[in-house]
Amino acid sequence: MPDTLDTERLHLRRPEATDAAAIFAYASDPVATRYMIWPTAQDIDDTHDFLDDVAAGWADGDDFCYAIVERSNGDLCGAVSCQFNQHGAEIGYILSPEVWGRGLATEAAAVVVEAAWANDDLYRVWATCDIDNAASARVLEKLGMQCEGRLARWSPSPNLAHDPTPRDALCFALTR
C-alpha cells in the first residue's frame, strides 16, 4: 500500500508519534468508540501502544493504518485501515464525532479500497460492522459493498456496558 493517499478533501498518511494527542481525542471518546471492537482508550499510553502496533503492521506489510487529515485545516480527524489476511483485505475506520455526517468515512475508505485493488492477487475487500451501527453500514453500502449476511456472536463489544459479550455483525464485501 502507498505511504500516502489523497482525495479532494483528505490526506491519508501513516500515523506518527506526534499524532498521539489527536488520536487520543477520538479514541477516548465513548461516542466515537461505542461500536469499536477495541476498548475506549483510558489514557495516552493506550494511544502510544496503538501507534506501536500501527508501526509494526506497516513493517510487516500486512496491516496499513492511515491517519485521516483534513486538507482544508490540517486537522487529524480519524483513521482508516486495510489489513490483508487469508480472506482478502479487511477495511475499518473511525472518525471523530465532530466530523460525522460529512461523507469523510466514505471518502477515506474509498481511496483505501482503490489502492488495495492495485494488488492483482486480491479478490475480496470486506468489512464488518455491529448490527446496530446503521451509519457504518451505510458507509459500506456507499462503497458499493454488498451485505453478505449477519454473523452471529461475531465481535467483542467492550464499550457497550449493557452487553460485553460478542455481538452480531453485518458482513459486507466487494469481490472481483
Side-chain angles (χ1 to χ4, degrees):
M1 294 287 285
D3 284 341
T4 63
L5 297 166
D6 288 291
T7 70
E8 182 178 328
R9 299 184 294 169
L10 303 173
H11 175 65
L12 279 58
R13 59 168 175 75
R14 291 184 189 205
E16 303 166 352
T18 56
D19 296 327
I23 293 169
F24 181 69
Y26 66 76
S28 64
D29 183 335
V31 173
T33 61
R34 179 177 182 195
Y35 293 115
M36 294 293 115
I37 62 171
W38 42 268
T40 302
Q42 298 302 304
D43 56 46
I44 197 73
D45 289 338
D46 292 340
T47 304
H48 291 295
D49 291 345
F50 164 75
L51 288 166
D52 290 344
D53 289 344
V54 166
W58 277 92
D60 292 345
D62 62 2
D63 192 353
F64 304 92
C65 180
Y66 293 92
I68 302 172
V69 178
E70 288 189 87
R71 293 166 62 99
S72 65
N73 58 21
D75 289 347
L76 190 155
C77 62
V80 60
S81 67
C82 181
Q83 181 179 37
F84 292 89
N85 57 44
Q86 70 273 20
H87 302 292
E90 181 180 9
I91 63 163
Y93 42 84
I94 183 171
L95 287 177
S96 173
E98 288 79 24
V99 299
W100 287 1
R102 295 176 38 205
L104 299 181
T106 303
E107 189 172 328
V111 72
V112 168
V113 168
E114 181 181 336
W117 279 134
N119 180 341
D120 291 335
D121 296 339
L122 183 65
Y123 296 97
R124 176 182 176 81
V125 177
W126 65 287
T128 61
C129 67
D130 187 274
I131 194 75
D132 291 334
N133 193 345
S136 189
R138 183 68 187 122
V139 167
L140 299 172
E141 290 168 348
K142 286 193 268 183
L143 291 173
M145 292 187 170
Q146 300 299 308
C147 182
E148 294 183 328
R150 182 179 186 137
L151 303 170
R153 308 293 276 180
W154 179 256
S155 47
S157 55
N159 305 316
L160 295 173
H162 66 278
D163 185 8
T165 60
R167 290 175 46 92
D168 290 2
L170 296 176
C171 183
F172 290 81
L174 287 167
T175 60
R176 65 173 168 187

